[in-house]
Amino acid sequence: MSVFDKFFERYSYRFPKGYPDFTNKQDILILENIFNEIGLFEIGALGRDAIMKYPYRAELFAQKFTTEDPFTSAKTEEDVVLDKIVIKGKEFTPKDDPKDIEKAIIDAEGIAKLYGGGINGLSFAAIAKTKEFGGGGGARGGAANTAIQESSQSLVNALAYKMGELKVEDLTEENLKSVINEIEVDVSNEKMLDFIENQSSWKESFVGTANALISRFPNKNYTQHRGSNFVKELYKHAAEMLKKDILAPGTKVGMDKWNPADIWMTTLDSTDILTQTTSIQDLNALILQLYIDKILIGVSLKKTDLNPPVKAFQVGKEAALDTYEGHSDATLSTKSTYIFTSGPRIEFRTFGAPGFAAEIQGTKAGGGKAGLGPINTILKGNNISPIDPANVNKEDFIDLYNKYAKEKIDGVAGLDQILSDKSSETVKSGVMKGKPKGSRGANDWLISRNFGLQIVDIFNDVEDKDGLLQDILRYAYSSNEWSSAYIKIGN
């Protein structure tokens, strides 16, 4: 099967015909959104020139370093946490001021030596140019462009609430400047105006989304928010309530699973009424009431056209979720394990060391994922002990594998031979293409298999299989009992 066949088989559920019809504008937009989600191009190296091309990259690098947020290795594509950076002989650690580090990077024109995670003494080229640094992001071009696009949508929304239903021709600089003080976003006015003027492929999306919103929420007093203090305070409070009421100790969930809104529209002057709530249930109930009263609207965005599909979530009674229908066998040929349902299938595997995730592949989720932390929180909520798939005991793994495999592993010696064979296999894509997977690749297969088979074992043992399955699906759909109301514009 070719790489194209695999791609279209994996994402066929996103298209009405099961494949993209290139004469259908909606199908083309869906395909573009898939490319945005997964990254169209292979990850390259960050390097000095890429760092210096846009100032935000030096700032982002410094912020990630000082918060000990992992980078991605350009060689192995694994997570790398840096211990120190040496720039022109001066050593910096994560405890230093990110502004000082940013200035040193710019003053030294990107020349540095990085230490940590197996890249000791190497340059910026040891770090992958991931989407947040403007690489591998398809049409969106990384986190910086995403911020510009979403902020630009906020600006066009404000214009629609001033002028009424818009046409593409209404997106003039004069019109946009007339409402530029009515939004609170985290990018400059110049970037928004430039993007709207020069990115013609986005104009219909901006206008279609804005018109859809004013038709459903005809309130002219909204302030449009993207990355504002209002949004930060709201999400900070939600995170605290989730930690207090829902999450197992030591686990966390992405805030997009509480509410995946990219922008917010509100008539509230502050978050005071929201941050006075004392539980996630009370906060969500308040957000629902504010949504119904057209006071606070969270909006999830996708690139679309002049007539976008619109769907509200966590507002009315949720549609019945799918039921459990079995699992795949254990095999040596893949590291993935599948749970089958009456709708989508769920793939359990590693997604870059040491990350584990369940990815939903079906008509509803559009690639939704649940990581190991949320899965363990879900297990705890079902009175099931959490799992640690990276902690592999070979004897226990062999017993588990043989329980679900047609071709058995013959003891530890047999497993060691399998791992040796795996390490000799060559990488099929990415920066390591054509090179042996090595011990890391073999271990990745082992812990990925261990992850999926532990999940299968849990499903086989649990009495309420549908209940456990639906908890995972709700998380991936951002429709948990602890998710909050929002509206989605576009596919």
Side-chain angles (χ1 to χ4, degrees):
M1 182 181 291
S2 73
V3 65
F4 295 105
D5 291 334
K6 290 180 180 178
F7 174 85
F8 289 121
E9 178 185 59
R10 180 163 191 169
Y11 291 101
S12 62
Y13 63 87
R14 301 282 286 272
F15 303 96
K17 295 181 179 179
Y19 60 87
D21 179 353
F22 291 101
T23 66
N24 183 297
K25 192 171 184 179
Q26 278 294 327
D27 279 13
I28 293 172
L29 287 168
I30 292 171
L31 187 61
E32 183 174 337
N33 282 322
I34 292 172
F35 289 157
N36 290 343
E37 293 163 9
I38 66 175
L40 178 59
F41 305 108
E42 291 182 359
I43 297 176
L46 184 57
R48 168 189 170 184
D49 291 342
I51 277 277
M52 299 308 298
K53 187 173 182 179
Y54 296 105
Y56 83 85
R57 290 176 180 167
E59 179 184 3
L60 175 60
F61 195 99
Q63 289 174 345
K64 285 175 66 68
F65 172 66
T66 54
T67 57
E68 297 184 87
D69 191 19
F71 296 84
T72 300
S73 167
K75 183 178 181 181
T76 66
E77 298 188 14
E78 295 180 347
D79 288 346
V80 174
V81 176
L82 297 180
D83 302 319
K84 66 178 180 179
I85 305 175
V86 178
I87 303 174
K88 284 193 170 180
K90 184 174 181 179
E91 182 175 309
F92 295 90
T93 73
K95 295 181 179 180
D96 290 314
D97 188 332
K99 290 294 184 183
D100 292 340
I101 299 168
E102 177 188 350
K103 185 177 185 300
I105 291 172
I106 293 173
D107 289 346
E109 297 184 332
I111 300 170
K113 290 185 177 181
L114 314 179
Y115 296 84
I119 60 172
N120 294 326
L122 300 180
S123 71
F124 282 118
I127 299 299
K129 188 180 177 185
T130 49
K131 286 195 287 186
E132 61 192 331
F133 287 107
R140 292 174 76 171
N145 272 3
T146 300
I148 296 171
Q149 291 155 14
E150 293 169 0
S151 298
S152 298
Q153 183 67 66
S154 298
L155 183 58
V156 176
N157 290 350
L159 182 62
Y161 277 103
K162 176 185 178 181
M163 295 182 60
E165 185 172 341
L166 295 177
K167 298 178 180 178
V168 169
E169 302 83 66
D170 295 322
L171 301 185
T172 66
E173 183 173 341
E174 181 181 2
N175 285 341
L176 293 165
K177 281 185 174 180
S178 72
V179 292
I180 211 158
N181 293 324
E182 298 177 19
I183 66 174
E184 295 186 20
V185 299
D186 55 349
V187 303
S188 69
N189 296 344
E190 292 76 15
K191 287 181 179 179
M192 288 185 291
L193 293 171
D194 178 73
F195 191 90
I196 295 170
E197 172 64 26
N198 295 306
Q199 299 293 327
S200 58
S201 69
W202 279 88
K203 290 184 178 181
E204 287 193 358
S205 183
F206 289 149
V207 170
T209 296
N211 288 341
L213 289 170
I214 64 171
S215 70
R216 286 162 176 78
F217 307 101
N219 186 328
K220 293 183 178 296
N221 298 316
Y222 287 124
T223 299
Q224 306 284 331
H225 290 269
R226 196 281 176 193
S228 64
N229 288 333
F230 181 98
V231 174
K232 292 175 182 176
E233 290 170 6
L234 172 58
Y235 278 85
K236 179 181 178 182
H237 181 66
E240 290 171 352
M241 294 300 98
L242 284 170
K243 185 176 181 180
K244 179 174 75 74
D245 297 333
I246 302 295
L247 301 182
T251 64
K252 59 182 180 180
V253 300
M255 290 309 296
D256 63 329
K257 298 304 181 184
W258 170 70
N259 194 304
D262 298 303
I263 61 176
W264 292 79
M265 312 190 307
T266 187
T267 60
L268 297 173
D269 293 327
S270 73
T271 59
D272 289 350
I273 188 175
L274 295 157
T275 57
Q276 288 172 9
T277 56
T278 58
S279 71
I280 194 65
Q281 290 81 11
D282 288 347
L283 174 61
N284 289 347
L286 177 58
I287 287 176
L288 175 58
Q289 189 59 55
L290 293 173
Y291 178 97
I292 292 170
D293 293 339
K294 299 180 172 60
I295 293 172
L296 177 67
I297 314 297
V299 185
S300 174
L301 302 170
K302 291 288 186 182
K303 190 175 185 182
T304 186
D305 59 16
L306 290 172
N307 297 291
V310 180
K311 184 177 181 180
F313 291 84
Q314 300 299 94
V315 174
K317 184 177 180 180
E318 297 296 319
L321 291 170
D322 298 292
T323 54
Y324 177 85
E325 291 193 349
H327 58 82
S328 62
D329 292 331
T331 67
L332 300 178
S333 60
T334 176
K335 68 176 185 178
S336 297
T337 303
Y338 296 93
I339 295 293
F340 303 116
T341 81
S342 57
R345 68 179 184 178
I346 310 176
E347 180 184 19
F348 293 86
R349 66 178 178 91
T350 52
F351 284 81
F356 302 87
E359 182 176 52
I360 315 302
Q361 299 173 355
T363 57
K364 296 179 182 177
K369 287 183 181 179
L372 180 60
I375 288 173
N376 276 334
T377 297
I378 291 167
L379 293 179
K380 181 183 178 184
N382 286 270
N383 298 314
I384 300 169
S385 298
I387 61 174
D388 179 10
N391 184 16
V392 182
N393 176 283
K394 289 186 177 180
E395 288 84 359
D396 291 342
F397 172 80
I398 292 166
D399 289 342
L400 182 62
Y401 182 93
N402 288 343
K403 186 176 180 180
Y404 297 108
K406 294 178 180 178
E407 296 185 17
K408 314 299 182 182
I409 295 176
D410 187 13
V412 172
L415 177 58
D416 287 341
Q417 182 60 53
I418 290 167
L419 296 176
S420 176
D421 293 341
K422 290 287 180 186
S423 68
S424 300
E425 293 178 357
T426 56
V427 178
K428 295 180 180 178
S429 63
V431 295
M432 295 287 288
K433 183 177 180 180
K435 297 181 180 180
K437 292 181 179 179
S439 59
R440 288 182 178 175
N443 190 57
D444 181 60
W445 175 87
L446 177 64
I447 63 176
S448 184
R449 263 284 168 227
N450 193 42
F451 172 46
L453 291 175
Q454 285 190 61
I455 297 295
V456 166
D457 213 39
I458 288 169
F459 268 102
N460 275 347
D461 288 342
V462 71
E463 183 174 347
D464 187 6
K465 293 177 173 57
D466 290 343
L468 175 59
L469 170 70
Q470 290 168 10
D471 283 347
I472 296 173
L473 293 176
R474 285 191 185 97
Y475 179 85
Y477 301 158
S478 298
S479 292
N480 291 280
E481 61 188 31
W482 39 265
S483 297
S484 57
Y486 68 98
I487 192 168
K488 181 182 177 183
I489 311 291
N491 287 296

